[in-house]
Amino acid sequence: MTFDLKTALKYIILFLIGVGVLYLAFRGQDLGKIWQEIKTANYFWVITSAFAVWIAHVLRALRWQMLYQSIHYKVSFWNAYHAVMIGYLANLALPRFGEIGRCSVIHRAEKVPMFASIGTVITERLFDVLVLFITGLAMLIFQHDIVADFLYDAIYLSLAKKANTLNYWWLVVIGAVILLLIASAIYFLRQKFSKKFLRIFVSLRQGFGSYSKLKQKGLFLIYTLLIWVFYCLSMYFAFSSIQATSGLHFNAAFTAIVFSGFAMAAPVQGGIGVFHWMVAQSLVLYGITFKDGLAYSTIIHSSQVLLILILGSLSLFLVLAKKTDHH
């Protein structure tokens, strides 16, 4: 990845957007009371919540290892695990850079072609997106009475207002220009780097085909389901960390994980701001004040960031140390 001034400005702008959303979320709130709730939190449940997230990361490494095995690359569990943790660490600095970062770790440690790795990462991400949409649909079906008003008022009406102000001819023109640029870029790459482009295409196709070649598809799907179950459990355990949310049930954790899933899809470092606002909004649906929801979301987000900083840095140190030993 080339890192120039334009790239740096892009990530700075994304970070500032996240900080802006964070400011808007906390604006007008009693910060003293929020801080008091965070200070007096039950940290046993905070640690238990973070442990559940770590189990999800371990399961993600096991699932990713399966995809490599299906295309005949013997990637060790520890290299897959360290790559996953380093990827999360990289995402705290640069959104979406973690996916490239973890593929780079596997390339250096196991000599797997970069684009084959990228194909496996895109494959597993597609399954995560599928689970997110299924859980979102389940939320709409089974908790329609709770989320319907929020979705109508906060999302549908807001989008409808913006849609009325749009000039659709401009959208058509912009879409056509984007398609033309993509087609031109592909044509240029094929002409200039035909052999290299072919190797990239073959590697990507190999990665994309990793799921279809799996011998244990059922186990892969079980890992995928368990990853999201442990994400839900992390939300649920954290409810007991402060008095305001201690009475919430698992259905609230289910809704919170769906809201947070869409929040983390935003291209902002670590989901800062967007995560806090979305999770707090999800808890408002269950009678929790927005202030208490912010205290809860701050606790769980901070614990997860701290987990990544500690374990991701440890993985990075171990990978670099191992590389030095080989030299």
Side-chain angles (χ1 to χ4, degrees):
M1 177 180 178
T2 57
F3 197 80
D4 52 19
L5 181 61
K6 188 178 176 182
T7 306
L9 284 172
K10 180 178 116 178
Y11 288 120
I12 289 168
I13 290 167
L14 288 171
F15 176 73
L16 290 175
I17 289 170
V19 171
V21 175
L22 193 66
Y23 167 75
L24 291 173
F26 280 89
R27 187 180 63 177
Q29 303 296 324
D30 189 332
L31 298 181
K33 285 186 178 178
I34 291 174
W35 175 240
Q36 188 60 33
E37 285 196 74
I38 293 169
K39 270 202 312 184
T40 57
N42 184 330
Y43 284 94
F44 169 78
W45 290 109
V46 176
I47 292 168
T48 305
S49 170
F51 182 73
V53 171
W54 178 73
I55 294 293
H57 296 335
V58 170
L59 290 167
R60 187 174 292 281
L62 286 167
R63 185 182 68 168
W64 193 28
Q65 184 189 24
M66 286 184 71
L67 292 178
Y68 278 120
Q69 288 172 346
S70 73
I71 53 175
H72 310 296
Y73 290 111
K74 293 184 178 179
V75 173
S76 72
F77 163 75
W78 283 112
N79 279 332
Y81 168 77
H82 290 320
V84 166
M85 298 310 293
I86 291 168
Y88 280 122
L89 184 66
N91 274 339
L92 293 181
L94 303 172
R96 300 293 162 260
F97 185 65
E99 280 72 12
I100 302 296
R102 62 170 164 143
C103 292
S104 180
V105 171
I106 295 297
H107 174 66
R108 291 171 181 274
E110 304 277 9
K111 309 303 178 195
V112 178
M114 271 293 290
F115 284 94
S117 281
I118 290 169
T120 62
V121 169
I122 294 172
T123 298
E124 66 157 3
R125 285 300 186 198
L126 286 173
F127 277 91
D128 287 332
V129 169
L130 180 63
V131 172
L132 181 59
F133 276 104
I134 290 171
T135 51
L137 187 62
M139 179 187 73
L140 287 174
I141 293 170
F142 297 110
Q143 302 197 68
H144 179 266
D145 54 329
I146 293 173
V147 301
D149 289 340
F150 169 78
L151 293 175
Y152 182 79
D153 295 336
I155 297 177
Y156 174 74
L157 288 180
S158 176
L159 289 175
K161 283 179 184 177
K162 288 179 181 176
N164 288 332
T165 63
L166 286 175
N167 187 324
Y168 291 100
W169 282 110
W170 276 110
L171 286 178
V172 171
V173 171
I174 291 167
V177 169
I178 289 170
L179 287 173
L180 184 63
L181 287 172
I182 291 170
S184 300
I186 291 171
Y187 177 79
F188 172 77
L189 287 170
R190 288 187 69 176
Q191 292 296 314
K192 190 167 176 108
F193 309 105
S194 55
K195 288 183 180 177
K196 193 172 182 180
F197 188 82
L198 184 62
R199 285 200 299 271
I200 289 170
F201 176 76
V202 169
S203 293
L204 273 174
R205 191 173 66 175
Q206 186 182 28
F208 287 142
S210 55
Y211 175 75
S212 64
K213 294 175 183 174
L214 275 174
K215 292 179 180 177
Q216 295 177 294
K217 288 186 176 67
L219 182 60
F220 180 90
L221 295 175
I222 288 169
Y223 281 152
T224 301
L225 179 63
L226 285 175
I227 287 167
W228 285 86
V229 167
F230 276 97
Y231 284 155
C232 264
L233 285 173
S234 74
M235 288 283 185
Y236 179 67
F237 291 147
F239 285 157
S240 298
S241 65
I242 58 174
Q243 186 64 36
T245 56
S246 59
L248 291 174
H249 299 294
F250 195 78
N251 58 339
F254 183 81
T255 301
I257 203 66
V258 173
F259 275 57
S260 71
F262 285 107
M264 294 305 283
V268 177
Q269 289 92 322
I272 186 171
V274 186
F275 177 92
H276 296 76
W277 188 85
M278 288 288 280
V279 171
Q281 283 289 354
S282 73
L283 299 187
V284 168
L285 303 176
Y286 296 89
I288 304 300
T289 65
F290 191 71
K291 171 183 72 67
D292 290 330
L294 283 175
Y296 169 83
S297 61
T298 301
I299 288 169
I300 194 164
H301 185 266
S302 300
S303 68
Q304 291 180 14
V305 168
L306 188 60
L307 179 80
I308 293 301
L309 285 172
I310 294 170
L311 296 184
S313 298
L314 178 61
S315 288
L316 183 61
F317 171 77
L318 291 172
V319 166
L320 291 175
K322 188 176 180 182
K323 185 182 174 184
T324 305
D325 288 342
H326 283 171
H327 284 298

